[in-house]
Amino acid sequence: MIEQNKNTVEVCFTPAAFPLFYNPKAIVVVIDVLRATSAICTALHYGVKSIIPVASVEEAIVYKNKGFISAAERNGELVEGFEIGNSPFSYMDEKFKGKEIVLSTTNGTQAIEVAKEADTIVIGSFLNKNKMTEYLLSQNKNVILLCAGWKNKFNMEDTLFAGAIVADLLQNEKFYTPCDSAMASLTLYKQAENDLYAFLEQSSHRRRLEKLQLEKDIRYCLTPNTAPVIPIYKNGKISI
Amino acid sequence: MIEQNKNTVEVCFTPAAFPLFYNPKAIVVVIDVLRATSAICTALHYGVKSIIPVASVEEAIVYKNKGFISAAERNGELVEGFEIGNSPFSYMDEKFKGKEIVLSTTNGTQAIEVAKEADTIVIGSFLNKNKMTEYLLSQNKNVILLCAGWKNKFNMEDTLFAGAIVADLLQNEKFYTPCDSAMASLTLYKQAENDLYAFLEQSSHRRRLEKLQLEKDIRYCLTPNTAPVIPIYKNGKISI
């Protein structure tokens, strides 16, 4: 199959760079491994009805005052006055089953915000890796893997997950990549895949979260396929 | 030595992201391996007096009309009406010795433009790799490796050179990195260093240049230490 008939897979390392990749017909996979998109996959897998992502804490407060269950995290920590932050474990609670939860996080919800106009936005994390690959292979569309990064800088853990998906898609003859960042992500993932946790030892955000004693969260977020769902963003809400 | 007393080395993948890294006291190394910064190192090593980098072709035309030797490249090709483009071999000519040359390129000269306010700007390429490491170790300042990229997207060859410098600097106890992009560059360079040319086979710009039959240029630009000079940008001109 020649390149012209294949679908592309590209990796955008930061929300700020997204306009350079913009393609209204592509599927955008939003990635914030530590921890927003891992939390969203977990929540929906455990029965939460939908997540309403909002970019600012102020918006989250407006929803909270209307009586919504509200979650907000900044710089790895729960924002004061909110019930939950972005630890995936918080979302496993029975009491959230069937409920809507409003969520604002440092990077993940901003990434969803910049991708808003895309044809299809889905939420990716190691927790739904194989399910995501299956889904993307079934859609016959170009794919943009949008890393949330850290305050618009490149980050390692989101890039590794992007590389995992690139590795899977390029094994299928339907896909090719014209994109150096996809090749870089793939190379990094291949180096890391046998022990993601150890590979991330030097990563800035793992160190940031370790200071906050979140090792259990990090290990969970790096475990593939424990929440095999495809969260789709539509009309302001994420659901499966 | 604890981290607080060390100098940082960071990697900025694109000119658009540079404001996130901005630190007025840092040394900025501008990198456009294929081919602007390789051409600049070559020119100055071969006796060109200085290079005047300008961001736009229009500015280059103004200088040209004033009688300056002028070089301009866009998308890998010589711009019509200009004497030279950005092939390093063009700059080895005896007739340019002691002369000033005005240069505008697709990415490299834009990267210099965004870094203009930095305390010190130097020009890096594989051609001056070891000399650059020696220089940076001698300065006792923080270092930002600024990749020119391709139209504000990440590119592989600039990242590999950044990784080579990160590898060199982190061997010295004076330096550490707080930055995931530096760790990614280092990991990619370690994968590539035994055969940079082969590693870049999938890179988008190598393929772009191959279509233009520039294999000889690519091989030259990936050869370390053939132009051991430190080009410094000051008051609008680059010289050694």
Side-chain angles (χ1 to χ4, degrees):
Chain A
M1 204 188 274
I2 55 168
E3 288 189 354
Q4 280 77 349
N5 297 327
K6 295 188 181 192
N7 291 311
T8 56
V9 53
E10 296 176 283
V11 177
C12 176
F13 285 142
T14 66
F18 187 68
L20 297 169
F21 288 81
Y22 186 63
N23 170 353
K25 289 185 177 167
I27 299 177
V28 178
V29 183
V30 175
I31 302 166
D32 186 7
V33 164
L34 296 176
R35 299 169 287 167
T37 61
S38 300
I40 293 168
C41 292
T42 302
L44 296 173
H45 182 60
Y46 277 80
V48 168
K49 185 181 164 201
S50 63
I51 299 283
I52 302 171
V54 297
S56 71
V57 172
E58 290 67 29
E59 285 170 88
I61 291 171
V62 171
Y63 276 98
K64 188 172 172 284
N65 292 341
K66 285 183 188 165
F68 278 81
I69 303 164
S70 297
E73 166 270 353
R74 283 297 179 277
N75 301 318
E77 298 188 84
L78 173 64
V79 178
E80 211 187 307
F82 285 86
E83 199 164 342
I84 38 179
N86 68 354
S87 170
F89 294 109
S90 325
Y91 295 81
M92 294 175 180
D93 201 314
E94 276 286 324
K95 72 181 179 202
F96 297 142
K97 272 197 174 170
K99 301 283 171 63
E100 294 195 312
I101 299 178
V102 172
L103 171 65
S104 181
T105 72
T106 311
N107 302 294
T109 51
Q110 334 282 324
I112 295 168
E113 184 71 24
V114 303
K116 251 181 178 169
E117 305 300 315
D119 186 59
T120 309
I121 302 175
V122 293
I123 304 299
S125 71
F126 283 104
L127 311 183
N128 66 350
K129 178 179 108 54
N130 290 357
K131 191 84 184 170
M132 184 58 71
T133 299
E134 274 171 40
Y135 169 80
L136 296 172
L137 288 173
S138 74
Q139 296 297 301
N140 198 27
K141 287 188 178 173
N142 292 332
V143 172
I144 301 168
L145 302 164
L146 170 56
C147 299
W150 181 261
K151 299 183 179 179
N152 275 317
K153 284 188 177 180
F154 171 95
N155 88 19
M156 191 67 95
E157 62 274 12
D158 295 343
T159 304
L160 293 181
F161 177 69
I165 296 293
V166 171
D168 286 352
L169 295 184
L170 292 186
Q171 275 177 24
N172 190 292
E173 61 159 19
K174 285 183 193 168
F175 277 92
Y176 86 104
T177 184
C179 164
D180 280 10
S181 41
M183 295 309 298
S185 304
L186 174 60
T187 304
L188 292 166
Y189 176 67
K190 288 285 169 198
Q191 281 292 296
E193 65 177 329
N194 289 334
D195 191 344
L196 293 168
Y197 188 80
F199 188 85
L200 283 174
E201 197 162 1
Q202 291 305 315
S203 98
S204 55
H205 195 47
R206 188 186 134 176
R207 283 183 286 170
R208 201 176 289 123
L209 291 183
E210 270 170 358
K211 280 188 197 150
L212 303 172
Q213 301 188 296
L214 295 172
E215 185 186 325
K216 190 180 156 205
D217 277 42
I218 301 170
R219 288 197 181 272
Y220 173 78
C221 292
L222 299 177
T223 307
N225 305 319
T226 58
V229 292
I230 299 296
I232 298 183
Y233 174 88
K234 214 168 189 173
N235 302 326
K237 293 181 182 182
I238 302 165
S239 55
I240 54 177
Chain B
M1 204 188 275
I2 54 168
E3 287 189 356
Q4 280 78 347
N5 297 327
K6 294 188 181 193
N7 291 311
T8 57
V9 52
E10 296 176 283
V11 177
C12 176
F13 285 142
T14 66
F18 186 69
L20 297 169
F21 290 80
Y22 185 63
N23 170 351
K25 289 185 177 168
I27 299 177
V28 178
V29 183
V30 175
I31 302 166
D32 185 7
V33 165
L34 296 177
R35 298 169 289 167
T37 61
S38 300
I40 293 168
C41 292
T42 303
L44 297 173
H45 182 61
Y46 276 81
V48 167
K49 186 182 164 201
S50 63
I51 299 284
I52 302 171
V54 297
S56 70
V57 172
E58 291 66 30
E59 286 169 86
I61 291 170
V62 171
Y63 275 98
K64 188 173 173 284
N65 292 339
K66 286 182 187 165
F68 279 82
I69 303 164
S70 297
E73 165 271 353
R74 283 298 179 277
N75 300 318
E77 299 189 83
L78 173 65
V79 177
E80 211 187 306
F82 284 86
E83 201 164 339
I84 38 180
N86 67 354
S87 170
F89 294 109
S90 324
Y91 294 81
M92 293 175 181
D93 200 315
E94 276 287 324
K95 72 182 178 203
F96 297 142
K97 271 196 173 169
K99 300 284 171 62
E100 294 196 312
I101 299 178
V102 172
L103 171 66
S104 181
T105 72
T106 310
N107 302 294
T109 52
Q110 333 283 323
I112 295 168
E113 184 72 24
V114 303
K116 250 180 178 170
E117 304 301 316
D119 185 61
T120 309
I121 303 174
V122 293
I123 304 298
S125 71
F126 283 103
L127 310 183
N128 66 349
K129 179 179 108 54
N130 290 357
K131 191 84 184 170
M132 184 57 71
T133 298
E134 274 172 39
Y135 169 79
L136 295 172
L137 288 173
S138 73
Q139 296 298 300
N140 197 27
K141 288 188 177 172
N142 293 332
V143 172
I144 301 168
L145 302 165
L146 171 56
C147 299
W150 181 260
K151 299 182 179 179
N152 275 317
K153 285 188 177 179
F154 170 95
N155 88 17
M156 191 66 94
E157 62 274 12
D158 296 342
T159 305
L160 292 182
F161 176 69
I165 296 294
V166 171
D168 286 351
L169 295 184
L170 292 187
Q171 275 178 24
N172 190 292
E173 61 158 19
K174 285 183 192 168
F175 277 93
Y176 86 104
T177 184
C179 164
D180 280 10
S181 42
M183 293 310 297
S185 304
L186 174 60
T187 304
L188 292 166
Y189 176 66
K190 288 285 169 198
Q191 281 292 297
E193 66 177 327
N194 289 334
D195 190 344
L196 294 167
Y197 188 81
F199 188 85
L200 284 174
E201 196 162 2
Q202 291 304 315
S203 100
S204 55
H205 195 47
R206 188 186 134 177
R207 284 184 285 170
R208 201 176 290 124
L209 292 182
E210 269 170 359
K211 280 189 196 148
L212 304 171
Q213 301 189 297
L214 293 173
E215 186 186 324
K216 191 181 156 203
D217 277 43
I218 300 169
R219 288 196 180 272
Y220 174 78
C221 292
L222 299 177
T223 306
N225 307 319
T226 58
V229 293
I230 299 296
I232 297 183
Y233 174 88
K234 213 167 190 175
N235 302 326
K237 293 181 183 183
I238 302 165
S239 57
I240 54 177

